[in-house]
Amino acid sequence: MKSSSLLGILVNIALSVINADAYTWPIPYQHVSERPKNDPYCQAGLVPFCPTGKSTNSMPFVDPGDTVEVFALKKPVWSFQYGPLLGFFNIMHDGLGFRSKKTGLNYTMEWYELDQLFNCTFPHLLENGNLKWCNQGALCVYDGINDTVWNQYGFVKKVSEVSGTQFNMFANWSLYDNNTAVYYETWSVYNNNNTDSSQVMFFDSFDCASWVLRAFDQLYAVGAKFDESVKLNYTRLNLYSHTPQLIGNYSQIINSKNETLIKGIREFYKTFQKRSDYLEQFTEAYNEIFMKKEFYFYYNDLYWYLTLRSPFIKITYYNIPLPGTR
């Protein structure tokens, strides 16, 4: 019997224990009442989080009578290390820029991982066999828009203007969002690669692009009008799976005493423990996922078993219209 078939049987046994029923897809992202402290064990690696940014939970506010320009910012992921390389594969990082017409001051806002992308994608397997996730994301706000950095391999595009009052409403939302939407999710999970009504999203990613899309929706909610001529694409890192099967949280998995299942999940994550070169890590992860065609997926503090189907894993870069232009 193939190992994937055996694991599928074990997952079904676990499902019967925790009485999992049918789900409404996609599973909603779970917000929190307040941001937890980041575990000191978790470290950002090569680049600290928001090194030149404002203090935590601070936002610029402007004169209500001001007019603020809104810019979409895009550049390749890890361009500081790899230049334009990942842009050739449409692996892009998104942010927003704002400029006060009254003062001329610029601000950049980016939501991204506190402790490096690979740490948000796979947990650390500790010596005692426990899994530790370093998967918080947060908003980095800093003065200025570095046009050279964004334009070198990406772009800065003006998409709207808002009043000072509207911007301040958006700033208040940003503080709230930053304290309640705190966990990064790298993957989107679908049942197939079609772009028609047969496609079902099981889980949605929650990353830099997700924040920009939420921010655009909030700006629209407070009255922003967007430039219909601007077309923006967004990166998704997708897994394709048969219907996901709920296993439970880590305590339920351990308490099940199902040693084969416990070993399976630990062995899966053991593969992704190297924390060195970013590109090498994701190349190895891609090869491992493609070869095994199975995945233990973590979402809202629960683990799901995915039986992957062709094309298994894929990067997409589709246009999502600006609010009010759809």
Side-chain angles (χ1 to χ4, degrees), residues 12 20 51 65 68 94 126 137 148 165 170 186 195 203 207 209 213 216 218 220 224-225 236 246 250 256 268 274 297:
N12 284 327
V68 180
D94 293 273
L126 305 182
T148 300
T165 297
F170 167 76
T186 303
T195 56
F203 303 94
D207 54 12
L213 291 168
F216 281 155
Q218 184 61 27
Y220 183 69
K225 306 297 183 186
R236 283 188 189 274
L246 176 64
Y250 196 65
S256 74
F268 174 78
K274 185 188 295 185
F297 183 72

Side-chain angles (χ1 to χ4, degrees), residues 39 41-42 119-135 247-254 261-273 275 295-299 301-304:
D39 192 319
Y41 177 91
C42 300
N119 289 327
C120 288
T121 307
F122 299 105
H124 291 263
L125 178 62
L126 305 182
E127 290 185 6
N128 63 5
N130 287 337
L131 301 176
K132 181 181 288 291
W133 284 90
C134 298
N135 61 333
I247 304 172
N249 62 36
Y250 196 65
S251 294
Q252 289 172 317
I253 294 171
I254 297 301
L261 182 60
I262 294 169
K263 180 180 179 181
I265 195 169
R266 288 174 174 169
E267 287 296 319
F268 174 78
Y269 286 122
K270 183 179 180 180
T271 307
F272 309 110
Q273 293 307 297
R275 300 298 204 270
F295 199 96
Y296 287 96
F297 183 72
Y298 183 71
Y299 201 81
D301 202 33
L302 295 172
Y303 291 89
W304 301 72

Side-chain angles (χ1 to χ4, degrees), residues 9-28:
I9 293 171
L10 293 172
V11 167
N12 284 327
I13 294 172
L15 277 168
S16 65
V17 172
I18 60 179
N19 193 28
D21 296 317
Y23 299 94
T24 299
W25 308 108
I27 296 296

Side-chain angles (χ1 to χ4, degrees), residues 9 26 66 77 86 141 146 161 196 245 297 323:
I9 293 171
D66 199 351
V77 168
L86 295 182
V141 183
N146 192 328
E161 288 186 358
D196 56 27
Q245 297 176 308
F297 183 72

Side-chain angles (χ1 to χ4, degrees), residues 54 60-63 66-71 97-108 142-145 167:
K54 297 180 177 295
F61 288 83
V62 302
D63 187 303
D66 199 351
T67 299
V68 180
E69 298 173 292
V70 184
F71 300 89
F98 298 90
R99 179 165 61 204
S100 163
K101 282 194 170 183
K102 180 171 286 189
T103 66
L105 294 176
N106 298 332
Y107 307 99
T108 299
Y142 52 96
D143 293 332
I145 300 173
F167 176 83

Side-chain angles (χ1 to χ4, degrees), residues 157-178:
K157 289 184 179 179
K158 183 177 176 179
V159 295
S160 185
E161 288 186 358
V162 294
S163 70
T165 297
Q166 291 168 331
F167 176 83
N168 291 339
M169 294 170 66
F170 167 76
N172 280 321
W173 169 84
S174 296
L175 292 172
Y176 170 79
D177 182 80
N178 191 50

